[in-house]
Amino acid sequence: MSENISFLGLGLMGTALASSLLAAGHHVTVWNRTPSKAEPLVAEGAVYADTPDKAVGASTLVIVCLLDHASVTQTLDGTPLAGRAVVNLTTGRPVEARQTAEWVAERGGDYLGGAIMAVPPMIAKPGALILYSGSRTIYDRYEPVLSVVAEPRFTGTDPESALLLDMAMLTGMYGQIAGFLEAAALVRSAGLPLRDFVTTLLTPWLNAMVAQQATWVDSFESGDHSTEVSNLEINRAGLENLVRAFREQGVKPDLLLPLKTVIDQRTARGLGNEGLSGLIEEL
């Protein structure tokens, strides 16, 4: 079913999102602070509104993808939102999502926030995911529209949920990147074949470790961090050895040191017999 949709914000991501909605046959009204960015979308069939007021007035569903949450409230300030379903796909922090949701509600609108787990070229393609939280009413009503741009997943009625989970997923990603970079730097310092190491050794090893870590959830939930594998004391000694080896190779162990610090703190509390899952208590 074709929907009338207003779209505010035409950066790289906003343009990709709006273009995918047009390609799916929806009637899209667009607004952007720099009008020239709307020209390619107008050529695809979008209608350009020269003010946020006109854009919002054209549709019940309003999708926003701007620089930050401050720009969202600045852009919509003074614009009537009564009866509007506002879907905010702007990057931000959990507390900002709650504040923006309250701001929209005070002006009569309903709010659904989203966290985009994709880059612009992935939009409307397999693998693109957007987490949503806030109004279940909006999500249920417009799920077919949301499904056009990416796989949608509702994470709860708390407007903070989607952005918090987004940050948690990015944290896992950055942690993996940190280990990957340190490992590659160590191998390169010895002049060993780096490509072969990454493809035949490191990548399979990391995949196996990720699968193993999923079992830690039981320990997180029960609070029982006992282990029959390698406890914190063994890992403390192992990391100490790693750090010394890195320095002997002339490689900075900087991305490993924060983990070593937390392990040292936990073992100093007399909990060296625990498994690595116990570090969640320290954090």
Side-chain angles (χ1 to χ4, degrees), residues 63 190 212:
I63 303 178
Q212 187 268 331

Side-chain angles (χ1 to χ4, degrees), residues 8-11 64-72 75 88-92:
L8 284 70
L10 301 177
V64 186
C65 187
L66 296 170
L67 177 64
D68 52 31
H69 280 244
S71 62
V72 173
T75 297
N88 184 17
L89 299 181
T90 301
T91 300

Side-chain angles (χ1 to χ4, degrees), residues 17-247:
L17 293 166
S19 181
S20 69
L21 293 171
L22 285 165
H26 295 293
H27 301 289
V28 182
T29 299
V30 297
W31 172 87
N32 193 70
R33 194 175 303 278
T34 304
S36 60
K37 289 188 176 182
E39 292 174 0
L41 292 171
V42 171
E44 294 176 23
V47 174
Y48 181 70
D50 57 9
T51 68
D53 278 11
K54 291 179 181 178
V56 172
S59 315
T60 302
L61 174 59
V62 179
I63 303 178
V64 186
C65 187
L66 296 170
L67 177 64
D68 52 31
H69 280 244
S71 62
V72 173
T73 54
Q74 289 168 4
T75 297
L76 295 177
D77 191 28
T79 297
L81 297 179
R84 295 298 184 270
V86 178
V87 177
N88 184 17
L89 299 181
T90 301
T91 300
R93 306 188 311 280
V95 68
E96 291 180 302
R98 176 168 296 282
Q99 292 168 346
T100 305
E102 292 171 350
W103 187 91
V104 168
E106 289 169 358
R107 287 153 181 79
D110 201 9
Y111 182 90
L112 181 69
I116 303 173
M117 311 304 298
V119 293
M122 294 175 63
I123 295 302
K125 296 178 181 177
L129 170 68
I130 300 181
L131 307 177
Y132 292 96
S133 63
S135 171
R136 183 81 207 206
T137 301
I138 294 180
Y139 183 83
D140 289 343
R141 166 67 178 82
Y142 292 107
E143 185 177 4
V145 173
L146 304 178
S147 298
V148 167
V149 300
E151 176 192 343
R153 189 169 303 175
F154 188 75
T155 64
T157 56
D158 185 339
E160 295 188 10
S161 298
L163 288 183
L164 187 140
L165 291 171
D166 170 41
M167 290 191 161
M169 291 174 72
L170 290 173
T171 298
M173 179 193 75
Y174 283 123
Q176 186 179 57
I177 288 172
F180 180 89
L181 290 171
E182 288 283 19
L186 185 63
V187 170
R188 192 171 74 170
S189 75
L192 296 173
L194 192 54
R195 186 176 301 278
D196 183 61
F197 166 71
V198 169
T199 57
T200 66
L201 292 175
L202 183 58
T203 299
W205 170 257
L206 289 177
N207 288 335
M209 289 300 99
V210 167
Q212 187 268 331
Q213 286 164 18
T215 65
W216 293 4
V217 175
D218 291 338
S219 296
F220 296 157
E221 292 178 343
S222 69
D224 179 6
H225 300 290
S226 58
T227 181
E228 296 179 358
V229 192
S230 57
N231 61 28
L232 287 178
E233 187 56 49
I234 292 172
N235 281 282
R236 185 201 63 77
L239 267 173
E240 180 65 35
N241 203 41
L242 272 179
V243 168
R244 291 182 64 183
F246 267 78
R247 287 172 173 155

